[in-house]
Amino acid sequence: MEFSELIKARKSIRGYLPKPVPREVIEEIIEVAKWAPSSMNTQPWHVHVVTGEPLERIRQGNTENMLKGVPPQRDFPMKESYEGIHRERQVGIAVQLFDVMGIARDDKARRTDWVMRGFRQFDAPVSLVLTYDKYLEPAAISQFDLGALSHALVLAAWERGLGSVINGQGIMQSAVVREHAGIPDDQNIMICIAMGYPDEDFVANSVKSVRESSEKFVRYVGF
């Protein structure tokens, strides 16, 4: 698949088959993705690949904490709510998803259930937890590198028939993830990526987000 075709075809997958992903497939994906750009070749990333019982314990811990109202506990600060055009885009994809799922605006139970899927890492068979060394703080450039790695991982997975979704909800309770994934205390948890074989019958998987026209965010200077 040509790169331009691959990057346009990939989409976030939020429903997975209960089918294990062979370790050798994950290893191949990582071998490809590690060639993502890295500032000054620092390669600041660690990848913790979690499946089976440890992943189930993470799902359970995330769910229990969120239902009890435990505030998000991330290893790095992030904006918890968006405004303006960013909020409009966030709402736009939510509307697409709720429409295909048949979730009404006033159906609080199903909306809550949908949100909880994120904390369960969408019931995917594998979660890749990306971390960086704490001593790199302030780590904006290292976090940038982990973003590049994340993109490479999801593209390499898609090329091999695996779906994924970069999932911030899955690490909102970072202490839970750290405990059950055995992540060292000298690493900060950045993000996780849910990954597995897409369930083609899960209607939300038909949703593909839209992108703004380039004219809205690109300036050419000196051309």
Side-chain angles (χ1 to χ4, degrees):
M1 187 182 295
E2 294 291 333
F3 179 75
S4 57
E5 180 184 356
L6 174 64
I7 196 170
K8 291 178 181 178
R10 189 213 64 85
K11 57 185 176 181
S12 293
I13 297 299
R14 298 174 175 87
Y16 297 88
L17 296 173
K19 176 182 177 182
V21 179
R23 174 171 171 166
E24 55 267 27
V25 176
I26 300 294
E27 290 174 345
E28 183 179 333
I29 289 168
I30 294 172
E31 281 295 315
V32 171
K34 71 182 184 183
W35 292 97
S38 171
S39 175
M40 294 177 284
N41 197 36
T42 52
Q43 303 174 59
W45 44 67
H46 301 276
V47 182
H48 306 265
V49 186
V50 189
T51 191
E53 183 58 31
L55 182 52
E56 289 302 320
R57 290 197 294 269
I58 290 173
R59 294 193 224 278
Q60 182 178 358
N62 282 348
T63 299
E64 289 176 354
N65 278 13
M66 297 312 297
L67 289 176
K68 288 189 294 187
V70 176
Q73 299 175 345
R74 295 186 181 88
D75 285 349
F76 63 97
M78 73 172 283
K79 194 170 184 63
E80 298 293 346
S81 59
Y82 295 107
E83 302 168 3
I85 187 60
H86 307 106
R87 176 61 176 167
E88 290 176 24
R89 292 168 183 157
Q90 180 188 31
V91 170
I93 189 64
V95 169
Q96 284 182 263
L97 290 165
F98 289 163
D99 280 350
V100 299
M101 293 290 290
I103 301 175
R105 188 180 184 86
D106 59 352
D107 192 338
K108 293 183 179 180
R110 292 191 67 196
R111 283 178 172 248
T112 299
D113 179 70
W114 178 259
V115 170
M116 296 311 298
R117 288 181 61 84
F119 297 117
R120 298 200 310 267
Q121 304 203 26
F122 296 93
D123 300 323
V126 174
S127 176
L128 280 63
V129 184
L130 275 56
T131 69
Y132 58 90
D133 295 322
K134 285 185 177 180
Y135 91 91
L136 293 168
E137 292 287 3
I141 195 64
S142 296
Q143 294 167 357
F144 181 91
D145 284 0
L146 266 68
L149 179 67
S150 297
H151 191 207
L153 287 166
V154 300
L155 289 179
W158 190 264
E159 187 179 38
R160 288 158 180 78
L162 285 171
S164 59
V165 60
I166 299 173
N167 178 23
Q169 289 170 298
I171 53 88
M172 283 178 70
Q173 300 291 334
S174 286
V176 171
V177 180
R178 182 180 304 280
E179 176 186 358
H180 297 301
I183 295 173
D185 289 338
D186 61 357
Q187 295 177 21
N188 275 343
I189 298 171
M190 176 72 197
I191 200 69
C192 67
I193 302 174
M195 188 174 291
Y197 295 101
D199 181 353
E200 301 298 342
D201 293 328
F202 189 72
V203 293
N205 287 343
S206 66
V207 171
K208 185 165 176 57
S209 58
V210 297
R211 291 293 186 267
E212 296 282 5
S213 64
S214 298
E215 290 77 9
K216 289 191 175 182
F217 63 92
V218 180
R219 291 179 62 242
Y220 292 98
V221 182
F223 282 85

